[in-house]
Structures are given as structure tokens and as C-alpha cells.
Amino acid sequence: MAQFLQAAIIGLSLGAQYALLALGFTLIFGILGVVNFAHGGFYMLGGYVAYSCVALLGVPYPLAVLIAVAATAALGWVFELFLLERLVDDHLATLMLTLGLYLILSNGLLQTFGPLAMEFRFPVSGAIRLGPVYVPQENLIVLAICLAAIVALWVVLYRTDLGRGLRALADDRAVAMAQGLRPKLLFPMAFALATGLAGLTGALVTPILALSPGVGDPVLATSFLTVILGGLGSLQGAALAAFAVGLVEAFCSVYFGGSIGALILFVLVLLLLVFRPTGLLGRTVRGA
Amino acid sequence: MRNRISLFGWPELIAVLLLSCGFFVPMFTRSVLIYSVLNQVFIGVVAAQSVWIMLRMNLLSFATPAFMALGGYTVAIAGRYEITNAFVVTAGAFLVPALVAVPLGALVLRLRGTYFVLVTFVLSEIVQLLIFETPSLTGGSDGISGVPPVTLLGTDMATNRQVLQFCCGIAVLATVVTGGLTRYFRQHFAAIEENEILAESLGLVVWRYKALGFVVAAGIAGLAGFALVSMLLTAHPSSFAAAIAVDFIAYTIIGGPTSILGPLFGTGALVYATNLFGTHGQYAQGLYGILILIVMLVARGGIVGTVGLLFNRLRGARR
Amino acid sequence: MLLRIENLWVRYGGITALSGISIDVPQGETVLLVGANGAGKSSTINAIIGLVPAADGRIVFDGTDLTRIPCERRARMGIGYSPEGRRVFPTMSVTDNVLAGAFGLGRRRQMEALDWLRSVFPLLVERATQPAGQLSGGQQQIVALSRAMASFPKLLLMDEPFLGLAPVWIRQISDAITQLRARGTTVLMTEQMARPALKLATRGYVMRGGEVRRSGPVDVIRDVALADEYL
């Protein structure tokens, strides 16, 4: 029982991280129609920015996380506005642009920080007793912040003018423009919002997991997995699938060990594609 | 102009002739470095052609490492049973991935392009995990070392020179198959690339051609994996990591996706540049990233397209 | 003259959709473009709002030539647009659809618009939180009209507002247009169903094959507009 609860809490905490990543990925795809291959890169960058602030500049960790969010959002905004925006209707070209950015980001970080993992620790440690189980404090903190970020994102999207504009552009870009919505203003914001979320996740999670130039790849793979599972372009689907993926991973690693969990998930995704190609909560996939 | 050239297959002919030059390299040099670079080029060209076939239909495939692994491990496992006949293992390295691609293609290619990208990426991850989870068959994380060299007409392809010439042969073979396929179905592929929905409404069964391309691309990737294993005499999971798909995509896009010469020149230029810059290609990925951005933003034709454009402009200026 | 179209040409690829049409929309009037499918009505509307580029000619709105101005700025200059086939934002609630039409105008203007439109159309209150994609065609048309009016435009463009609607809804939408016009909005609408549309209009243009064939006050063109060859 204790083991079960432990796995459930780890799974939820993983799920919340995956949800932040997948929600950002889905925002970019849903609104811009762009597959963001650089998503793992922004996660990584968030981790390294936070690390640099803490280790090199002596900034307190919470402030370092905020700086990481600002830096990744700013880079996303600039990248969208000056590069992606020029080819935003060509899905293959935008994909290649984000791939190029990812290669530059990960190689740049490799050149700067070297191939070894960084000594980056979460400032809080120790465990809290929850009923029969002990849960690492840092996991709970990350879970709480991730959930808060998800709620904040929901408020932005469903309770503000900006969110209304973004959803309108995702639903029908041509008509939204004819109503006076400006993609040139809103697309960079959407991209920055999403990359900022990836940066936040990186800054929060890398001190617990690991921070090395390779950490972007599995993040990208998990984001893909999640959005396929949830149905491309569906925010609710992405969030739901993220928690499912987190729980499956946690339970598999507790009860089976090794990489079986990941393998099960991948095969699950393939099966899902056979029987329900639009994902769990997917709607019709937008053109291309 | 472009139509007439590709009708006669000039680019394919040039590609085959250029690659064939590899046979004669051992007459001029014994440099291990040159041999190593050329082997990388041959393997890269084959893998890039696998990407290129799908790109003809506006589909970006990240599945190349998966099918390379299937081809490479097929050869390595065959070696365990002392099956080393060059013709048999070449056929195996092509057919096993191609057959695996048949049901996968039927599954994946009914979906739209974006799903294809994501699914092929996931596929490469799956194959990687499968290798780790099946140590009795694939050696797991240790891989299979000591793969016996292939035998061609009774001779072991064991020396550096023989390995180079054999890889060269594989590259020529792959180019002939790729060129033949894309030339034979040129109009179908072009119609799909131009406007898939229109092609479908005109009666073209689009997913069938996509599936055919996917199957052949899988076989070609298998040949690349075979060439890689026969060069290293080892099949190791790290050789087929999902991330290397990016290299082959970079070769193709930077070389220029409009002609079969694109993957060839792209691979040649980038492998050369990688070896030029720093040791162990440590800057390679960053360089690829910058070049991809440049190609996408200012030179969509890649190396081949841009050179062609400059050539035409020069000729125009002279007239 | 609120809107003046002079010698407008529109081409899609090699196909000419509009061959040099000229249309005048006077302030405060309701102008109707009638004609069969492919007559060029939608192309005219799309060229005004900027969804298709003008190959040649001028579109002068409120004294400004629109042809070089991007689509999203035209809407903000005071043009409301209700597209053919309604095209509400399907996943967004009815209220959000209406508010999206007043994007960036500030909370006060948005609430003012919402209150006004809700007072005219009780439907907007009854279905406030329902995703617009789940509504019936007629209900969606009300939402699309409200969305177009939410920015208090000087000119309302309506592309085929009766398309695919049952007679009872055609009557309701006609009433709705009459109510919206009460604020003095100028209207340019297209319609294949000439009979109900002619009741609303003050002036009409009969189009065929990308050209204007006849124009004038509604009473003058009524018989022509109802002739078989244009329907």
C-alpha cells in the first residue's frame, strides 16, 4: 500500500511536469500550427539559466526560476517574431526552423557548460510524512508550483482578452484576422507563453532529476508521446494524457523497473493510433 | 528545363558516377582518415536518401535510425549463424526493415503529415528501447560485437580497402534503387508534394504511394545500417540512437531537397565540415542548426538548388 | 459615400473572379448584392475585408484606400464581418465568440457591446457558456452577427446570412438585421435568396460572372433580381 501511494505521488508529480511541457507544445501547435522541436531545448535552457544564476551569480533559487522563465519566454518571443513568423504557414519549414534552433541551443549549452552533469541541487530537501508514506519535500513543492502554473495558464486562456484572442486564432485564423485579431502581435506572445512554461519546468525539475546537455531529447520524446496520446491541439487532452503518462511511468518503474514503462507507453501510443487516430480527446487535426 | 533533365535521369546518373569514384580511391591513397571519412559519407548518403524519398512527398521522417537498426542487427544476427554471403545479407538488410515497414506504413500514412513526423520520432525511440529490452537477441546495451565480415564471391571483405569498396557498392546500389523509385513515380510523388488533397480528388490513391515510398525508404535505411555494421564489425544501440535522425535530415535539407544530388552533396559537405571542425564532431550539431536556419530562411533550394540558381543566373548574364 | 469600390479585379491563380466591378455603399443604407453561385458576391466581400487581395482597382472606405492595408487592420477601422457559412469559433463559448469580435477594445467597451447585444438577442444569455460549435445553424448566425457587431462597426459586411436556414430562421435573422440597423449601421450584404433579402435592402446590385449587370434602388431592380437567369 505504501509503495502504491508512493508511486501515485511520484506519478502525479511527473504528470504535472509533463502537463506543463505538453500544454506549451499544444498551445504552439494549436495556435500557430507549428511543431516545436525546440521545446526540449527551452526546458534545458531554463535549467541552465537557473543553474547559472544560482551557482555563478549567487541569486536565490526562487528568483533564479523567475529569471529562467523570463529568459526562455524572451528567446521564444524573439525567435517567433523574427524567424518563425516569416514562414509560419509552411509546416515543414517551421518544423525545420525549430529543429535548427534546438540543435543550436543544445550544442551551445554543450560548448558552454561541457558534457558533464551540473552540480545543481534543489534548495529544499528532506521528506514529509503523508499517512503511511514519506514523500520528498521537493517533489511536493514542484507538484504544487506546476499545478499552480496550470491553473494560471487556464485563467489566462479562458478568462482574459489575450486568451480569447489566442483561442480564436486557433479555431479559425482567417476569420479571427477578419475580426481584427493581429497574429503578428499574438503569435509571438503565444510562443513566448509556451516556451516560458518549458523554461519554468526545466528550472524546477532539473535540480531534482539531472542537468546535462542531453536532457532535452527525452523531454521532447515525452512531449510528443503526450500530445499524440491526448490528441494534437487539444489542451484538455494534453493535460489528461500527461498525468496518464506520469502515472504509468511511475508505477512501471516501481513494479517492473528498467525502461519497460517507456516501452509500454510507446506501444500504447501506436495502438491508440490504430483505433483512435485523433487521440483521447482529439478533434479533427488542422491541415497538414 | 528541370522536367526534361529528370526525365533523362541526369541527376541520378551523376550521383551514381560520383559515388562509383569511391571504388578507385584505394588506388591513390591508403590514408585511414580518408577511408573513414568516405565510409561516413557513403553511409550518410544512403541514410539521407531514405529521408529524401519521404521528403519528395512532403513527409519528414525521423524513423531512419529505427530501420537502420533493423537492417544492421539483421546482418549482425545473421553473422552469428555464419550467414555472411554478401548477396544474402544485403537482401536481408533491405527486406527485413521493408517488411516491418509495410504494416507500420499502412498505419501511419493514413494520418496527416504532422502525425507522421511525431510517430516516426516515437518509432525510433521504441526500437532503441526494444534493443535494450531484448538482450538475448540483440545483446542489449552491449550490442553485438565481432560481427564477421561479409563474403563476396568467396572473399572476406575484411581489409580497410575492401570495406570501403563494399560500402561504396552499397551506396551505389541504394542510389540506383532510390533514383529508380523516384523517377518511376515522379509524377505521383510530385502531385502528392504539390497538393495532396487535390491529388486525392483526382483519383490518386495517395496513401498507397506514400506507403510504397515508406517501405522502400525503410529498406534503404536498412542498407545504411548494414554498411555501418560492416564498417564497425559491431552492432551497438548507440549507433542507432534516435537523435542521429537529425543528422540525415540536415544532410538532405542542407544539400537541397529538390534533387537526388541534394542528399549526396549535403552529406559530402557536412561530413567533410564535421571532420574539419574539431574532434569527434563536437561542433557538428550546432553547425547543422545554423545551416538549417540559413537554408530555410534564405536559400530554400539548399546547396544544389542555390548552385543551380547561380549557374542559371550566370548563364543568363552571359547571354 | 461610406464605401466606394472602383474597378475592382480579383483573381485566384489563373481564374478571374471579379472583372472590374464598381459599387457604392452610401452612409446609412443597406446594399444588397444578388446573384447565383460564382457571380462574384463572396469575392467582393472577401476583397473588402482583405481575405483576398485586389489585383487591381480601389476600395475606398471612409476616405481611406483599403487595398494596401492588411486584413486585421481593416476590421479595426470599423468594418464588421459575418462570413459565409457563419464560421463561429466552434470550441469557444457563445459569450467568448461575441467578445472576440471586440478584441482589444478594453473591458468597458466590451461589456457595453455584450449588454447591448444580449438585450437584442436573448439567445446570447440562454446559451452563454455553450460552445458555439454545438448550436444550430440559425443560432450560429445570430452569434456570427453579434460577433461582427461587437466592435460597433460603421459598416457591416454579411455574406449569405440566410444560407442553409429554415424559413422560420430567415425571418428571425431578418428581424435581427433590422434591429442592428437601428443604431445607424450601414450594411453591405450578399444573398442568393433574393426575396427575403430585398425586403431589407434599400439599394441593390445584380451580379453575374464577376460583373455587375444592373444596379439601382431596390424598387428599380427588384424584377431583374428575381429573374431566373440571376438565381
Side-chain angles (χ1 to χ4, degrees):
Chain A
M1 187 61 193
Q3 201 184 20
F4 180 86
L5 275 178
Q6 194 107 34
I9 290 169
I10 293 173
L12 283 179
S13 156
L14 274 177
Q17 304 161 18
Y18 293 163
L20 276 190
L21 292 166
L23 284 172
F25 190 89
T26 303
L27 270 183
I28 293 176
F29 183 77
I31 295 168
L32 284 80
V34 168
V35 173
N36 183 22
F37 263 81
H39 217 62
F42 284 101
Y43 168 89
M44 215 159 45
L45 185 66
Y48 274 102
V49 170
Y51 165 78
S52 307
C53 288
V54 171
L56 306 177
L57 304 174
V59 174
Y61 178 71
L63 187 60
V65 172
L66 290 180
I67 295 174
V69 174
T72 47
L75 179 67
W77 191 80
V78 168
F79 178 70
E80 208 294 330
L81 186 65
F82 293 107
L83 299 184
L84 216 48
E85 189 60 40
R86 301 165 59 164
L87 297 170
V88 78
D89 292 323
D90 179 343
H91 86 278
L92 207 59
T94 52
L95 201 155
M96 294 307 302
L97 285 179
T98 57
L99 184 63
L101 177 69
Y102 177 62
L103 293 177
I104 295 169
L105 269 179
S106 60
N107 199 249
L109 291 172
L110 174 72
Q111 302 300 334
T112 318
F113 293 94
L116 298 177
M118 295 288 115
E119 187 67 36
F120 190 23
R121 292 266 158 270
F122 207 77
V124 183
S125 60
I128 292 179
R129 202 179 145 170
L130 279 180
V133 291
Y134 287 93
V135 187
Q137 237 175 345
E138 62 256 41
N139 280 43
L140 286 180
I141 294 173
V142 168
L143 178 62
I145 298 176
C146 287
L147 289 177
I150 292 170
V151 171
L153 178 68
W154 184 87
V155 169
V156 167
L157 285 177
Y158 288 90
R159 287 288 176 270
T160 69
D161 214 26
L162 171 67
R164 210 174 286 125
L166 293 179
R167 283 185 294 135
L169 281 168
D171 266 9
D172 191 331
R173 190 185 301 177
V175 169
M177 284 168 70
Q179 306 296 334
L181 281 99
R182 283 173 289 184
K184 281 195 171 58
L185 183 80
L186 293 171
F187 281 180
M189 282 189 190
F191 203 83
L193 188 64
T195 55
L197 287 177
L200 171 69
T201 320
L204 284 176
V205 175
T206 52
I208 300 177
L209 297 178
L211 182 60
S212 69
V215 296
D217 287 355
V219 164
L220 188 64
T222 312
S223 298
F224 282 1
L225 200 75
T226 315
V227 296
I228 296 175
L229 208 57
L232 270 178
S234 160
L235 288 169
Q236 287 92 335
L240 203 71
F243 282 99
V245 167
L247 286 170
V248 169
E249 265 187 26
F251 278 108
C252 285
S253 75
V254 167
Y255 289 103
F256 305 115
S259 47
I260 277 281
L263 193 59
I264 288 174
L265 279 171
F266 283 124
V267 174
L268 212 71
V269 163
L270 275 189
L271 287 178
L272 184 81
L273 282 175
V274 182
F275 296 110
R276 198 173 152 67
T278 48
L280 289 176
L281 294 181
R283 49 190 165 115
T284 326
V285 180
R286 63 187 304 155
Chain B
M1 184 68 189
R2 213 182 78 197
N3 281 341
R4 206 184 59 197
I5 285 179
S6 53
L7 192 65
F8 290 118
W10 279 112
E12 288 85 355
L13 202 64
I14 294 170
V16 166
L17 286 176
L18 274 176
L19 283 168
S20 304
C21 295
F23 283 113
F24 307 106
V25 168
M27 291 181 182
F28 304 104
T29 175
R30 284 161 180 272
S31 154
V32 179
L33 178 69
I34 290 180
Y35 281 20
S36 150
V37 170
L38 278 177
N39 276 329
Q40 288 175 45
V41 170
F42 290 138
I43 296 163
V45 166
V46 179
Q49 280 172 353
S50 167
V51 173
W52 182 72
I53 292 175
M54 297 316 286
L55 211 56
R56 297 301 303 153
M57 294 177 283
N58 250 340
L59 290 169
L60 191 63
S61 173
F62 280 79
T64 316
F67 294 121
M68 280 176 77
L70 281 175
Y73 273 94
T74 300
V75 174
I77 292 165
R80 267 196 204 150
Y81 299 98
E82 286 167 20
I83 305 168
T84 55
N85 179 301
F87 298 107
V88 174
V89 290
T90 307
F94 185 89
L95 288 176
V96 170
L99 286 176
V100 171
V102 171
L104 279 175
L107 197 108
V108 169
L109 291 160
R110 287 167 189 270
L111 307 170
R112 293 240 169 263
T114 311
Y115 265 107
F116 181 80
V117 174
L118 302 187
V119 170
T120 52
F121 189 91
V122 168
L123 203 62
S124 287
E125 297 278 351
I126 292 183
V127 168
Q128 188 75 189
L129 289 168
L130 276 176
I131 294 173
F132 284 112
E133 293 296 329
T134 53
S136 54
L137 185 67
T138 62
S141 55
D142 298 329
I144 301 173
S145 51
V147 177
V150 292
T151 43
L152 183 63
L153 308 171
T155 323
D156 279 356
M157 296 282 123
T159 65
N160 282 344
R161 175 190 170 142
Q162 285 165 325
V163 167
L164 177 73
Q165 288 177 328
F166 190 73
C167 284
C168 178
I170 296 275
V172 170
L173 173 68
T175 309
V176 169
V177 174
T178 305
L181 175 85
T182 48
R183 195 153 19 121
Y184 192 80
F185 292 110
R186 184 166 51 88
Q187 282 163 340
H188 305 88
F189 285 7
I192 294 171
E193 187 191 11
E194 188 74 30
N195 188 337
E196 192 181 324
I197 295 157
L198 185 67
E200 189 127 33
S201 69
L202 293 176
L204 196 67
V205 186
V206 165
W207 76 269
R208 237 182 248 168
Y209 293 96
K210 284 183 173 175
L212 178 71
F214 189 59
V215 168
V216 176
I220 299 283
L223 290 181
F226 169 35
L228 185 62
V229 167
S230 67
M231 177 181 86
L232 300 172
L233 298 179
T234 303
H236 193 272
S238 65
S239 306
F240 307 111
I244 62 168
V246 173
D247 293 358
F248 308 130
I249 290 171
Y251 296 164
T252 311
I253 294 283
I254 295 168
T258 49
S259 145
I260 196 169
L261 291 171
L264 177 62
F265 287 137
T267 310
L270 289 183
V271 169
Y272 178 73
T274 305
N275 283 283
L276 200 68
F277 283 111
T279 47
H280 309 302
Q282 145 179 47
Y283 294 93
Q285 300 250 305
L287 174 75
Y288 296 174
I290 293 169
L291 288 175
I292 286 175
L293 290 192
I294 292 173
V295 165
M296 279 298 134
L297 291 168
V298 296
R300 284 301 280 276
I303 297 174
V304 170
T306 309
V307 168
L309 203 70
L310 290 178
F311 181 74
N312 279 343
R313 210 174 276 172
L314 267 178
R315 213 171 45 176
R318 202 176 297 162
R319 270 183 200 161
Chain C
M1 206 59 65
L2 185 62
L3 178 76
R4 166 162 265 167
I5 298 174
E6 292 166 10
N7 187 34
L8 176 67
W9 289 77
V10 167
R11 295 189 184 90
Y12 302 103
I15 302 156
T16 301
L18 292 179
S19 343
I21 63 159
S22 295
I23 288 173
D24 286 339
V25 181
Q27 180 82 44
E29 295 209 31
T30 297
V31 176
L32 171 69
L33 308 180
V34 279
N37 246 336
K41 308 186 303 291
S42 285
S43 297
T44 310
I45 298 285
N46 288 342
I48 298 169
I49 195 65
L51 289 175
V52 298
D56 198 7
R58 275 155 51 91
I59 303 170
V60 182
F61 171 70
D62 214 9
T64 320
D65 186 3
L66 294 179
T67 43
R68 302 234 164 259
I69 294 174
C71 174
E72 63 267 23
R73 263 189 55 206
R74 297 189 197 186
R76 305 169 80 82
M77 291 171 67
I79 302 178
Y81 170 58
S82 160
E84 179 179 354
R86 301 171 274 279
R87 287 170 77 172
V88 292
F89 300 124
T91 68
M92 292 167 63
S93 72
V94 167
T95 303
D96 279 349
N97 261 278
V98 178
L99 290 177
F103 181 82
L105 293 185
R107 185 90 189 146
R108 250 187 62 204
R109 290 291 301 275
Q110 288 181 338
M111 284 304 123
E112 192 188 327
L114 194 61
D115 288 343
W116 167 52
L117 289 162
R118 279 178 165 176
S119 70
V120 180
F121 306 121
L123 174 88
L124 299 183
V125 185
E126 292 154 19
R127 306 287 173 137
T129 57
Q130 201 172 345
Q134 294 176 1
L135 302 181
S136 75
Q139 291 170 331
Q140 289 191 8
Q141 186 62 57
I142 296 283
V143 174
L145 270 178
S146 306
R147 180 179 64 186
M149 290 301 292
S151 55
F152 302 108
K154 295 175 200 152
L155 173 68
L156 171 64
L157 302 176
M158 273 190 295
D159 203 353
E160 309 264 1
F162 302 148
L163 187 74
L165 296 187
V168 55
W169 271 109
I170 292 182
R171 227 168 302 131
Q172 294 217 19
I173 302 291
S174 295
D175 290 348
I177 295 169
T178 313
Q179 279 176 289
L180 294 178
R181 256 188 341 198
R183 275 182 88 102
T185 310
T186 309
V187 179
L188 175 62
M189 64 186 286
T190 72
E191 196 45 72
Q192 281 187 65
M193 303 234 207
R195 216 172 284 275
L198 281 167
K199 285 188 194 147
L200 291 167
T202 51
R203 306 177 65 81
Y205 286 78
V206 183
M207 296 185 69
R208 189 176 188 190
E211 290 171 9
V212 171
R213 288 298 172 88
R214 201 65 75 80
S215 66
V218 156
D219 299 332
V220 177
I221 62 143
R222 175 169 283 123
D223 296 337
V224 184
L226 293 174
D228 283 346
E229 61 172 318
Y230 296 114
L231 297 175

